[in-house]
Amino acid sequence: MIETLDIVSWAGPYDDNFRRRAAERLEAGAVLLFPSLGFPLDDTETALVRSAGSDGSAKNISLDPATGQCKGSTISGTELATLTAMLDRFGKSARSLVEGLLPHYAAGLERARTSFRPVEISGRHSSWRQDDKRLHVDAFPSRPMQGRRILRVFANIDLDGTPRHWRIGPDFETYAARFLPSLPRAVPGKSWLLHRLGVTRARRSRYDEVMLFLHDAAKRDLGWQRDAPVQEVDFPPGCAWAVFTDQVAHAATAGRNALEQSFYVEPGALARPETAPLAVLKRMCGAAMV
Ligand code: AKG
């Protein structure tokens, strides 16, 4: 489940061996772990990270690279400019890493939001649906993916040595097989109406409905949360990791001060599309998904 790649720079070119292993293992559902890939901070960024988490900012401070706007933080002025620049630098570094290791994604890769997650996870309260301490695969209620993949790059930038702790659950097919028997039938007109009402940015495909169902059904099932076989992983400060979070069941149970960059990947850019949730669900449900 964990493929360790000992690279030390966010910019390639990377060794053929690293590129081959990244391409083979990521789409097979592994987490690519880069134990020596730290994201260095300068003095002003370090001061900002040190004070974050206690200033009332949201659990997720995010930068939209399309607008350059940073949302969720209570800071302003030069501090906000420093934070925005740090997030943008991380987003660009993550893109350079992905394009260097997985060059076949470059033409089908969209950089989405970059986030800073300063707040300690353990003990944090949220609704069951938003509780990322429960195992889940990612799906977005308002942003239909229509088969595009969700690839995320994380870095732990905590200054006091706190690891980020994840639980990684069973493979996607095993996860889906557990919940698909109770998948509700599609409701004609629902995706049209949700789009019309502005609840979703585009029409949800059946793929989006099934992925949201899998996200919710897993988080709601406390018995499965307790009993599912998991691998416990600590991501210490100074490391980075990349994972298809729409495929890999994951729960983040402890840690603070992480950076995260989301990418959307076109299905046509995948090396092995038959391993993607879109193909797995089509096969398991016996029906077209998009
Ligand atoms: C998610 O964003 O889907 C999570 O589960 C949180 C991961 C993290 O912040 O480490």
Side-chain angles (χ1 to χ4, degrees), residues 52-123:
S54 55
D55 67 356
S57 292
K59 69 165 195 177
N60 218 337
I61 298 167
S62 68
L63 168 70
D64 180 349
T67 61
Q69 294 280 313
C70 198
K71 295 218 172 107
S73 172
T74 52
I75 58 176
S76 57
T78 46
E79 277 193 325
L80 181 60
T82 301
L83 176 62
T84 306
M86 178 179 85
L87 289 179
D88 192 47
R89 191 163 62 81
F90 179 69
K92 288 183 173 130
S93 301
R95 180 166 206 142
S96 151
L97 173 75
V98 170
E99 291 186 345
L101 272 181
L102 302 145
H104 52 290
Y105 286 180
L109 193 70
E110 180 186 338
R111 179 180 159 197
R113 282 172 197 274
T114 317
S115 68
F116 174 41
R117 302 176 175 190
V119 179
E120 172 57 49
I121 300 170
S122 60

